[in-house]
Amino acid sequence: MAQVINKRIILKNYVNGFPKESDMLLNASATIRLNLPEASNAVLVKNLYLSCDPYMQFRMRESKAGSFTPGSPIQGFGVAKVLDSRHSNFKKGDFVWGLTGWEEYSVINTVGFLFKIEHTDVPLSYYTGILGMQGITAYAGFNVICAPKKGEYVFVSAAAGAVGQLVGQFAKLSGCYVVGSAGSKEKVDMLKNKCGFDEAFNYKEEQDLDAALKRYFPNGIDIFFDNVGGKMLEAVLLNMRFSGRITACGMISQYNLEQEEGVRNLYQIIVKGVQIQGLIANNYLHMFPKYMEMIIPLIKQGKICYMEDIAEGLESAPAALVGLFSGRNVGKQVVAVARE
Amino acid sequence: MAQVINKRIILKNYVNGFPKESDMLLNASATIRLNLPEASNAVLVKNLYLSCDPYMQFRMRESKAGSFTPGSPIQGFGVAKVLDSRHSNFKKGDFVWGLTGWEEYSVINTVGFLFKIEHTDVPLSYYTGILGMQGITAYAGFNVICAPKKGEYVFVSAAAGAVGQLVGQFAKLSGCYVVGSAGSKEKVDMLKNKCGFDEAFNYKEEQDLDAALKRYFPNGIDIFFDNVGGKMLEAVLLNMRFSGRITACGMISQYNLEQEEGVRNLYQIIVKGVQIQGLIANNYLHMFPKYMEMIIPLIKQGKICYMEDIAEGLESAPAALVGLFSGRNVGKQVVAVARE
């Protein structure tokens, strides 16, 4: 089979702080053969959907381990179709999700983080989010770690993000009262009108976060699912109830600072007997079967609203990734490289 | 029976910040009858040992609930002998521990926090600490919340205090490696030579707490039992291992500040999947029988070192309490009002 052009998004150099579009470039000079040599254990895929995630900025920085390689394609989670396979777990025509490259075609040599998609009667792009890492993150971080009880008061920060919108809906399914914060009117409307949050507010319009929280939670907060950290966490600590639980999932307010802000009010942890648990989603991958059993029927019955923000074409990927850090996206940011 | 003088330690006025001796006064003008009227549900006790605890400063401040009453005796945990009882749970001659007054004799009308002492063949003063609230605090905060495994690395701050010295020894009994920090050479020596800590250091002699922790824990910290908060917590967070556990028991570094210091490095909670649990000892009182089953034999066999700093006489109580906040005491600070 002849070689074809393989367009790629290349990291030009290590990045300091939030990435800019100019830190990446579209390269259209590489070619690839669309079959694998006999002596291989790899899988050749055509990439369909790529996931844009906040953590990726850390892999763009120069650090000891896990950094991307300048001059090579960005790596991330994605959905792909198997074109050729020398690995017994996968065969031509399979749809898969897992770690792949920001390019049209990828040869995946290490399949430890590649999973065959069993349910193909739902949108395949969902495997970059609700049916992938963000799904298990929301499920483990809320349902498992926070062990919600009916009637509890739940607050979600960055609630319009890929994880936050799920946490809010899982909270409603658990019989909780849930309020989300987000950074625009459009996102607030989405949370209230589409995702079923009881209330939502735009944190940028609040002078005093503590006062805002007291307005929405006159009885205090039992569960806080935190994607933001910093001043929001500081204000939430003042409003936690006894035996409250906080899942620390992200701290996007801190990622672009030279030095992390100090957080006050930690003494409230002792006064109220609060638990804070840092969430490493990889520790919960064994729960995927249980999670899929819960989530697939909810999706098919239309009982979950899952908002995606799909950018078309590999060339749109740098802007899509960069947009995460200014909150441009509404819902899960995905890049559609190809539809099939 | 005639009335007798009942010397009392009175709170003069609400206190801001750490208490001073002049915030309290010894009053020797009150009298008390050493028997109870028939129509009573109270218990009359002779106080033997009083407990000096850091939390008491908060009850000396003016706040919504739980404050002491200016003009009335200080309240706190203590050990006492029952002189008369109109409550069916107690009889004359019983030894009890629980909430009592800083005075020679107390009439205890609410016995919800008064417990009969079953084991009297150990020093009765121990019921102000190792056999009382500090014991259950150390047990619940370390053995229950942190669920230690053999070989784990444990760090205890304010390790020479009533709780810290127990946590270190419970860590050794669990097969852990344990290091403590304290604020004087005498305390460091006590931890190493009497309490069996593997290492101990004087935090006041360390310019760089992060560097000190890296020296004592080149492989990182699995469990941190925190009595101090602030900069020490900030440094520990940089040195936590994956799935590390922190019990937040006290934040004595913060109690005298106008405003709590901000704590940095909270992002490490997410990176390492760390758990922080605020400890409310009252939530674990149901574990006393199990704890006593463990601790009484250890005390009788001499397998636990428990250091007390006993001030003689009720009149020494204000100085003993105030000394807590400058770290004057070595071991659990107790006031002996009477020996029997």
Side-chain angles (χ1 to χ4, degrees):
Chain A
M1 193 185 286
Q3 293 197 330
V4 298
I5 295 287
N6 187 18
K7 285 194 274 187
R8 307 180 299 163
I9 303 293
I10 303 289
L11 176 68
K12 284 156 73 175
N13 255 309
Y14 289 123
V15 170
N16 289 316
F18 286 156
K20 304 178 297 298
E21 285 189 58
S22 59
D23 293 319
M24 296 163 267
L25 62 80
L26 180 76
N27 173 296
S29 63
T31 58
I32 189 169
R33 291 186 72 91
L34 294 185
N35 55 7
L36 292 166
E38 288 274 347
S40 161
N41 200 32
V43 181
L44 170 69
V45 301
K46 179 183 182 188
N47 291 307
L48 303 180
Y49 299 99
L50 301 175
S51 178
C52 295
D53 297 305
Y55 82 86
M56 295 172 73
Q57 66 177 307
F58 296 114
R59 300 195 64 190
M60 300 175 87
R61 297 180 189 183
E62 187 166 13
S63 64
K64 282 176 204 158
S67 293
F68 295 140
T69 308
S72 294
I74 305 286
Q75 303 274 305
F77 288 99
V79 174
K81 185 175 183 178
V82 175
L83 298 186
D84 193 9
S85 173
R86 301 289 173 182
H87 192 287
S88 56
N89 289 6
F90 305 95
K91 65 176 196 300
K92 183 176 173 177
D94 282 350
F95 290 101
V96 293
W97 75 272
L99 284 175
T100 186
W102 279 31
E103 55 195 346
E104 290 178 292
Y105 305 95
S106 296
V107 174
I108 299 175
N109 289 300
T110 309
V111 299
F113 223 117
L114 198 65
F115 308 101
K116 185 176 168 181
I117 290 175
E118 305 290 349
H119 301 271
T120 54
D121 52 351
V122 290
L124 289 179
S125 59
Y126 280 20
Y127 288 90
T128 67
I130 186 173
L131 297 177
M133 291 310 289
Q134 270 99 27
I136 200 71
T137 296
Y139 176 74
F142 182 73
N143 297 57
V144 179
I145 290 176
C146 295
K149 290 186 285 287
K150 195 177 167 182
E152 286 194 313
Y153 298 98
V154 176
F155 178 53
V156 187
S157 63
V163 174
Q165 57 174 298
L166 295 178
V167 169
Q169 293 179 81
F170 295 169
K172 290 312 298 175
L173 289 166
S174 301
C176 298
Y177 179 86
V178 62
V179 178
S181 65
S184 74
K185 181 175 186 307
E186 186 182 5
K187 291 177 184 178
V188 167
D189 289 345
M190 175 188 110
L191 293 175
K192 291 201 284 192
N193 302 329
K194 295 197 177 147
C195 297
F197 281 58
D198 293 291
E199 288 287 351
F201 65 90
N202 181 349
Y203 72 92
K204 292 177 181 169
E205 290 179 352
E206 300 293 339
Q207 300 300 310
D208 179 341
L209 292 173
D210 177 39
L213 292 169
K214 286 189 165 50
R215 206 164 69 233
Y216 289 105
F217 295 99
N219 299 310
I221 297 167
D222 293 295
I223 294 176
F224 176 38
F225 194 100
D226 189 13
N227 295 301
V228 166
K231 295 296 173 206
M232 185 62 94
L233 174 57
E234 190 167 290
V236 168
L237 285 168
L238 290 176
N239 290 281
M240 290 302 289
R241 304 181 83 189
F242 276 96
S243 303
R245 289 137 277 156
I246 297 176
T247 288
C249 178
M251 293 197 177
I252 200 162
S253 71
Q254 304 299 301
Y255 296 158
N256 203 30
L257 303 178
E258 280 284 309
Q259 189 178 32
E260 206 182 297
E261 288 178 295
V263 171
R264 294 193 176 85
N265 305 330
L266 295 186
Y267 185 59
Q268 297 302 314
I269 295 171
I270 301 180
V271 174
K272 303 288 178 59
V274 168
Q275 178 195 279
I276 301 182
Q277 174 70 60
L279 176 57
I280 296 182
N282 281 359
N283 289 350
Y284 298 90
L285 298 183
H286 62 282
M287 291 188 165
F288 254 115
K290 198 172 170 197
Y291 172 63
M292 294 299 271
E293 213 170 276
M294 173 188 108
I295 198 71
I296 289 281
L298 291 170
I299 291 173
K300 290 190 180 169
Q301 295 158 23
K303 289 186 179 162
I304 281 277
C305 151
Y306 178 63
M307 301 295 289
E308 294 180 302
D309 194 331
I310 300 188
E312 288 296 330
L314 186 65
E315 61 280 6
S316 69
L321 178 62
V322 168
L324 285 182
F325 302 103
S326 59
R328 203 196 59 170
N329 56 305
V330 178
K332 165 71 187 183
Q333 182 67 59
V334 180
V335 175
V337 182
R339 296 286 174 173
E340 198 184 333
Chain B
M1 192 186 289
Q3 294 198 333
V4 299
I5 295 286
N6 186 18
K7 285 195 273 185
R8 307 178 301 163
I9 303 293
I10 304 290
L11 176 69
K12 283 157 74 176
N13 254 310
Y14 290 123
V15 170
N16 289 316
F18 287 156
K20 303 177 298 299
E21 284 188 59
S22 59
D23 293 319
M24 296 163 267
L25 62 80
L26 180 75
N27 173 296
S29 64
T31 58
I32 189 170
R33 292 184 72 90
L34 293 186
N35 55 7
L36 292 165
E38 288 275 348
S40 161
N41 200 32
V43 182
L44 170 69
V45 301
K46 179 182 181 187
N47 292 307
L48 304 180
Y49 298 99
L50 301 175
S51 178
C52 295
D53 297 306
Y55 82 86
M56 295 171 74
Q57 66 177 307
F58 297 114
R59 299 195 65 191
M60 300 176 87
R61 299 180 189 182
E62 186 166 14
S63 63
K64 282 177 204 158
S67 294
F68 296 141
T69 307
S72 294
I74 305 287
Q75 303 274 305
F77 288 100
V79 173
K81 186 175 182 178
V82 175
L83 299 187
D84 193 7
S85 172
R86 300 289 173 183
H87 192 287
S88 57
N89 289 5
F90 304 95
K91 64 176 196 300
K92 185 176 172 176
D94 282 349
F95 290 102
V96 293
W97 76 271
L99 283 174
T100 186
W102 279 30
E103 53 195 347
E104 290 178 293
Y105 304 96
S106 296
V107 175
I108 299 175
N109 289 300
T110 309
V111 299
F113 223 116
L114 197 66
F115 308 102
K116 185 177 168 181
I117 290 175
E118 306 290 349
H119 301 271
T120 54
D121 52 351
V122 290
L124 289 178
S125 59
Y126 280 20
Y127 288 90
T128 66
I130 186 173
L131 297 177
M133 291 309 289
Q134 270 99 29
I136 200 71
T137 296
Y139 176 74
F142 182 73
N143 296 57
V144 180
I145 290 176
C146 296
K149 291 186 285 286
K150 195 177 166 183
E152 286 194 314
Y153 298 98
V154 176
F155 178 54
V156 187
S157 62
V163 174
Q165 57 176 299
L166 295 178
V167 169
Q169 294 178 81
F170 296 170
K172 290 311 299 175
L173 289 167
S174 302
C176 298
Y177 178 87
V178 61
V179 179
S181 65
S184 75
K185 182 176 186 307
E186 186 182 6
K187 291 177 184 179
V188 167
D189 290 345
M190 175 189 109
L191 293 175
K192 290 201 284 192
N193 302 329
K194 294 196 176 147
C195 297
F197 281 59
D198 294 290
E199 289 287 351
F201 65 91
N202 182 349
Y203 72 91
K204 292 178 181 169
E205 290 178 353
E206 300 292 340
Q207 299 300 310
D208 179 342
L209 291 174
D210 177 39
L213 291 170
K214 287 191 163 49
R215 205 163 69 233
Y216 289 104
F217 295 99
N219 299 311
I221 297 168
D222 293 296
I223 295 175
F224 176 38
F225 194 101
D226 189 13
N227 295 302
V228 165
K231 295 296 173 205
M232 184 63 94
L233 174 57
E234 190 167 291
V236 168
L237 284 167
L238 290 175
N239 290 281
M240 290 301 290
R241 305 181 82 189
F242 276 96
S243 302
R245 288 137 279 156
I246 297 176
T247 289
C249 178
M251 292 196 177
I252 201 162
S253 71
Q254 304 299 301
Y255 296 157
N256 203 29
L257 304 177
E258 280 284 309
Q259 189 177 34
E260 206 182 297
E261 288 178 295
V263 171
R264 293 194 177 84
N265 304 331
L266 294 186
Y267 186 59
Q268 298 302 314
I269 294 171
I270 301 181
V271 175
K272 302 288 178 60
V274 168
Q275 178 194 281
I276 302 182
Q277 174 70 60
L279 176 57
I280 297 181
N282 281 359
N283 289 351
Y284 299 90
L285 298 182
H286 62 281
M287 291 187 165
F288 254 114
K290 197 171 170 197
Y291 172 62
M292 294 299 270
E293 213 170 277
M294 172 188 110
I295 198 71
I296 290 281
L298 291 170
I299 292 172
K300 290 190 179 168
Q301 294 158 24
K303 289 188 179 161
I304 281 276
C305 151
Y306 178 62
M307 302 295 288
E308 294 181 303
D309 193 331
I310 300 188
E312 289 296 330
L314 185 65
E315 61 280 6
S316 69
L321 178 62
V322 168
L324 285 182
F325 302 104
S326 60
R328 205 196 58 170
N329 57 305
V330 179
K332 165 72 187 182
Q333 182 67 59
V334 181
V335 176
V337 181
R339 295 288 174 171
E340 199 185 331

